[in-house]
Amino acid sequence: MKKGQIYEGRIQEVEFPNKGKILLPEEEKTVVVKNGAPGQLVRFSVNKIRKGKAEGRILEVLEPAANEITPPCPHFGQCGGCTYQNLPYEEQLKLKETQIRNMMDGAVDGEYIWEGIHPSPRQEAYRNKMEFSFGDEYKDGPLALGMHKRGSFHDIVNVPECRIVDEDFRKILIRTLDYAKSTGLPYYHRMRHTGFFRHLLVRKAVKTGEILIDLVTTTEEGDREFDGHGFAEALLELELEGTIAGILHTRNDSVADVVKDEGTDILYGQNYFYEELLGLRFKITPFSFFQTNSLGAEVLYETARSYIGDTKDKVIFDLYSGTGTIAQILAPVAAKVVGVEIVEEAVEAAKENAALNGLNNCAFWAGDVLKVIDELGEVPDLIVLDPPRDGVNPKALEKIIRFGVQKMVYIACKPTSLARDLELLQGRGYQVERMACVDLFPGTYHVECVCLMSKKEK
């Protein structure tokens, strides 16, 4: 087998995350390909061979899987946002559950209760936040505003009929692109570091219907020419189901291809909006973390709350607490909840939200869990972990383990990180009691995992 060779083969299975496996008996090798479904017959090229392992890229689907359907989104396959829209939702759930169950069966020591996968209450139009990127559809092509093309860091796919957001998002997207084209100003080129338009951030609350729109640009080119109030007026003319709470203009000259706040002007309204979860109200700013599927988040947090069980008269640590959503959901039935989060803006939002909800038994600390955990001055009765995608820093995990709490609940947005962290947790005396998945991201390969651990009796 050589790099660049082309083969045909059938995808036997897909492991998390997005690793389709094709066995080539004639080569005595298994090739891993992305963006395939189990059962598809595909033509693919080999693009990497390292340490006996081979990776390939699908060139063409020669024969669909028996359970494939026509994707509801016309951009599927070209846009890199979704992976499984060509499978019925029930099949997506089965695939994700099988993937995570197999992974956790290999990671967990001993018996545990597997509680399956909880579906998202919505399969379409479920996202409350989208970050769209400006670019061109192809090199030196027309201005585009949408998602990255599948497998490309540069090309942008216009997605005016994206199905994971509702009609308001689509109208705002189309109107913004039209307005950007009318200015004649260029998009920000990621390689040359020149240009003006960078991103469009749209957030919409499911419960309140409030919408926040933020146009992200550089200051290097066109900033003086850009008519922000004209842009706002163009958006306010739209007929939307929701209500625009604020229209913002954020400046970002960072070379990194991320949305970064280096100064924000309010063009209309305010720089925040409100969302509701499980009877609580949350103030959300453009860059504060909040689960992107509001209705799915309620399922996730209810699952976590059921795992925690009786919290009366107990002190709970909510580590990696974000804007304090979990802390505030637990606070009404706990003695005290202490949240720790490294993003200072999120901590300020958590404090404000706790006051908004009349909760006076929440305390929030800003800083790295690894460092702040030594300064808390309290010993928790139980701990909730909701870390970022890379999981918990091993040194921080050692400190967390030393508290010796009887119960720990780990919420993982990247199950492979949970599987890795379980090795240390189990080695230090914790055992997995129960586990479930919650599908917050229909159509994609992402899935959340909730795990309850208890300390073994000596």
Side-chain angles (χ1 to χ4, degrees):
M1 179 179 289
K2 294 178 181 178
K3 185 177 175 181
Q5 278 187 285
I6 295 175
Y7 294 89
E8 292 181 8
R10 197 172 295 277
I11 299 174
Q12 306 297 319
E13 61 176 333
V14 179
E15 290 185 353
F16 184 88
N18 195 15
K19 294 181 179 179
K21 295 197 165 184
I22 302 172
L23 176 63
L24 295 177
E26 68 273 23
E27 297 284 353
E28 297 183 342
K29 263 190 173 53
T30 296
V31 182
V32 174
V33 296
K34 291 182 178 180
N35 304 316
Q40 286 179 333
L41 180 66
V42 298
R43 190 166 64 89
F44 63 96
S45 64
V46 176
N47 56 11
K48 189 183 291 185
I49 303 172
R50 185 182 296 170
K51 296 180 181 178
K53 295 182 179 180
E55 294 180 15
R57 181 171 64 88
I58 294 176
L59 302 174
E60 183 185 0
V61 177
L62 302 172
E63 185 182 303
N67 57 2
E68 269 192 75
I69 60 171
T70 301
C73 180
H75 313 299
F76 179 78
Q78 188 180 17
C79 165
C82 295
T83 316
Y84 295 146
Q85 281 195 0
N86 55 335
L87 295 176
Y89 189 57
E90 287 301 317
E91 295 296 329
Q92 294 180 35
L93 292 176
K94 286 179 188 176
L95 179 57
K96 291 182 182 184
E97 181 180 358
T98 301
Q99 290 175 339
I100 306 306
R101 178 74 192 268
N102 289 343
M103 184 196 308
M104 295 307 167
D105 281 352
V108 175
D109 298 333
E111 298 293 317
Y112 70 105
I113 298 171
W114 174 259
E115 296 186 331
I117 186 167
H118 301 299
S120 170
R122 286 184 184 172
Q123 286 83 59
E124 287 193 6
Y126 60 84
R127 285 191 67 97
N128 59 34
K129 175 187 175 184
M130 286 293 280
E131 290 178 7
F132 299 108
S133 297
F134 284 94
D136 48 14
E137 296 181 66
Y138 49 87
K139 189 176 180 182
D140 300 324
L143 184 66
L145 174 59
M147 304 292 288
H148 282 273
K149 187 176 181 180
R150 181 179 279 183
S152 172
F153 290 107
H154 303 290
D155 297 342
I156 299 297
V157 180
N158 284 319
V159 288
E161 296 181 61
C162 176
R163 308 315 302 170
I164 60 176
V165 293
D166 70 17
E167 185 65 18
D168 283 355
F169 280 83
R170 296 192 284 270
K171 286 181 177 179
I172 292 164
L173 174 70
I174 294 166
R175 180 60 57 90
T176 301
L177 178 57
D178 288 344
Y179 190 85
K181 286 179 176 178
S182 74
T183 67
L185 295 170
Y187 74 91
Y188 175 76
H189 197 285
R190 295 165 188 79
M191 299 298 288
R192 293 194 289 263
H193 307 306
T194 59
F196 184 65
F197 292 112
R198 297 194 71 160
H199 298 96
L200 172 68
L201 173 64
V202 184
R203 305 188 77 154
K204 180 183 177 183
V206 171
K207 299 290 181 69
T208 68
E210 293 183 340
I211 302 168
L212 199 62
I213 303 165
D214 192 0
L215 182 68
V216 184
T217 72
T218 65
T219 61
E220 294 178 1
E221 188 173 347
D223 195 36
R224 291 181 183 177
E225 303 169 40
F226 176 65
D227 178 11
H229 292 288
F231 170 62
E233 287 173 7
L235 291 173
L236 291 169
E237 291 171 355
L238 290 170
E239 292 186 9
L240 304 173
E241 286 190 16
T243 305
I244 295 177
I247 301 172
L248 315 176
H249 177 203
T250 291
R251 292 167 178 83
N252 174 19
D253 289 326
S254 166
V255 295
D257 189 25
V258 293
V259 176
K260 188 177 180 182
D261 184 6
E262 295 179 345
T264 296
D265 293 334
I266 298 175
L267 304 177
Y268 168 83
Q270 61 207 29
N271 63 351
Y272 60 88
F273 70 107
Y274 290 100
E275 176 63 295
E276 295 171 2
L277 282 186
L278 298 174
L280 296 173
R281 193 168 170 86
F282 296 92
K283 179 180 177 182
I284 303 169
T285 56
F287 305 106
S288 58
F289 174 78
F290 198 80
Q291 290 285 5
T292 54
N293 180 340
S294 297
L295 299 179
E298 290 188 323
V299 177
L300 177 69
Y301 295 143
E302 282 184 322
T303 303
R305 191 162 61 179
S306 71
Y307 279 15
I308 291 165
D310 180 28
T311 55
K312 189 180 178 184
D313 302 324
K314 291 183 178 178
V315 175
I316 303 171
F317 279 7
D318 176 15
L319 304 181
Y320 310 94
S321 55
T323 51
T325 315
I326 297 172
Q328 291 168 71
I329 288 168
L330 298 176
V333 290
K336 184 177 183 180
V337 183
V338 179
V340 180
E341 168 60 44
I342 198 168
V343 180
E344 290 188 16
E345 184 195 7
V347 173
E348 291 307 310
K351 291 176 180 177
E352 197 170 340
N353 286 326
L356 183 69
N357 289 305
L359 301 170
N360 55 16
N361 62 337
C362 295
F364 296 99
W365 292 65
D368 188 340
V369 168
L370 176 62
K371 298 172 183 176
V372 172
I373 205 168
D374 296 324
E375 303 168 14
L376 298 179
E378 295 189 69
V379 177
D381 295 301
L382 59 93
I383 291 174
V384 177
L385 293 169
D386 189 7
R389 297 189 64 76
D390 290 339
V392 184
N393 180 301
K395 292 181 180 178
L397 197 54
E398 289 281 10
K399 289 185 178 181
I400 291 165
I401 289 167
R402 283 202 288 272
F403 280 118
V405 296
Q406 282 304 117
K407 276 187 179 182
M408 207 180 294
V409 173
Y410 192 130
I411 300 172
C413 58
K414 187 179 180 183
T416 48
S417 295
L418 169 60
R420 182 203 64 212
D421 290 345
L422 281 178
E423 184 176 359
L424 181 56
L425 285 158
Q426 292 174 133
R428 298 292 188 275
Y430 282 89
Q431 62 186 11
V432 175
E433 286 196 10
R434 59 204 317 129
M435 197 181 295
C437 292
V438 180
D439 185 28
L440 293 194
F441 313 99
T444 79
Y445 60 81
H446 300 290
V447 65
E448 298 266 337
C449 201
V450 188
C451 175
L452 171 64
M453 288 167 278
S454 63
K455 194 163 181 60
K456 292 179 185 176
E457 296 181 8
K458 293 183 179 178

